[in-house]
């Protein structure tokens, strides 16, 4: 009876890898590409391209050099390279970020080092379109007033 229920659950759905938590411990160095669907806690060093659909937490001793693509990221450690975070990037006071950053949302606590060019997805595009059309309209209005005077 119990074994039937267990088989039914295993056959009925796919495994949810986004709940898995991987850990790279202090003293570990990985050079190369990493692709995963689960989240990561990094206390060691990664050099290369790192892609995950999960959340990445970089501890105080953690360091990533290269490219990181993830859904969310919390940094206490260091990063150098290209950082692509689809949702929220949170920088703790001990964080040190350098390079190019693209985020959905950015949270920086006092004390964090953020020496990067940063672009935010979503709201920026909608804000830039109206401002360009608004800047054209006042110029046209100003020219019209100048001609009538």
């Amino acid at each position: 009876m119990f074994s039937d229920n267990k088989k039914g659950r295993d056959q009925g759905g796919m495994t949810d890898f986004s709940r898995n938590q991987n850990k790279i411990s202090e003293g570990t160095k990985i050079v190369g590409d990493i692709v995963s669907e689960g989240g990561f806690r990094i206390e060691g060093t990664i050099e290369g391209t790192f892609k995950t659909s999960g959340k990445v937490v970089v501890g105080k001793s953690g360091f990533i050099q290269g490219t990181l693509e993830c859904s969310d990221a919390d940094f206490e450690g260091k990063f150098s390279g290209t950082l692509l975070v689809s949702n929220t990037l949170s920088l703790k006071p001990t964080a040190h970020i350098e390079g190019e950053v693209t985020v959905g949302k950015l949270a920086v606590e006092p004390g964090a080092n953020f020496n990067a060019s940063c672009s935010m997805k979503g709201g920026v595009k909608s804000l830039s379109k109206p401002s360009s059309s608004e800047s054209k309209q006042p110029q046209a209005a100003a020219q019209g007033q100048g001609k009538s005077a």
Side-chain angles (χ1 to χ4, degrees), residues 41-108:
R41 173 141 187 111
I42 299 169
E43 298 290 344
T45 302
I46 295 177
E47 293 179 11
T49 302
F50 183 11
K51 295 181 183 181
T52 180
S53 56
K55 181 177 182 175
V56 174
V57 177
V58 180
K60 289 182 182 180
S61 62
F63 176 62
I64 299 174
Q65 183 174 9
T67 301
L68 170 61
E69 293 182 38
C70 60
S71 64
D72 293 281
D74 288 347
F75 272 88
E76 291 181 279
K78 297 179 181 179
F79 179 86
S80 178
T82 304
L83 180 57
L84 305 165
V85 181
S86 58
N87 293 322
T88 304
L89 170 62
S90 297
L91 304 180
K92 305 300 181 190
T94 56
H96 185 85
I97 308 294
E98 293 182 357
E100 297 179 21
V101 177
T102 303
V103 297
K105 295 178 184 176
L106 178 63
V108 181

Side-chain angles (χ1 to χ4, degrees), residues 2-149:
F2 291 108
S3 63
D4 290 341
N5 288 340
K6 202 174 208 181
K7 287 180 184 176
R9 282 188 289 181
D10 291 342
Q11 293 172 356
M14 295 177 60
T15 305
D16 184 12
F17 293 110
S18 63
R19 293 184 180 185
N20 293 346
Q21 181 71 25
N22 300 291
K23 183 174 181 180
I24 298 174
S25 300
E26 189 172 359
T28 301
K29 180 177 181 179
I30 297 176
V31 178
D33 298 342
I34 299 173
V35 178
S36 177
E37 292 184 27
F40 275 83
R41 173 141 187 111
I42 299 169
E43 298 290 344
T45 302
I46 295 177
E47 293 179 11
T49 302
F50 183 11
K51 295 181 183 181
T52 180
S53 56
K55 181 177 182 175
V56 174
V57 177
V58 180
K60 289 182 182 180
S61 62
F63 176 62
I64 299 174
Q65 183 174 9
T67 301
L68 170 61
E69 293 182 38
C70 60
S71 64
D72 293 281
D74 288 347
F75 272 88
E76 291 181 279
K78 297 179 181 179
F79 179 86
S80 178
T82 304
L83 180 57
L84 305 165
V85 181
S86 58
N87 293 322
T88 304
L89 170 62
S90 297
L91 304 180
K92 305 300 181 190
T94 56
H96 185 85
I97 308 294
E98 293 182 357
E100 297 179 21
V101 177
T102 303
V103 297
K105 295 178 184 176
L106 178 63
V108 181
E109 292 185 17
N113 241 335
F114 188 73
N115 297 320
S117 61
C118 182
S119 61
M120 296 183 80
K121 296 187 293 182
V124 175
K125 291 180 183 177
S126 64
L127 290 175
S128 64
K129 288 179 184 177
S131 64
S132 64
S133 63
E134 288 175 4
S135 63
K136 290 178 184 176
Q137 289 175 354
Q139 289 174 355
Q143 289 174 356
Q145 291 173 352
K147 289 180 182 177
S148 63

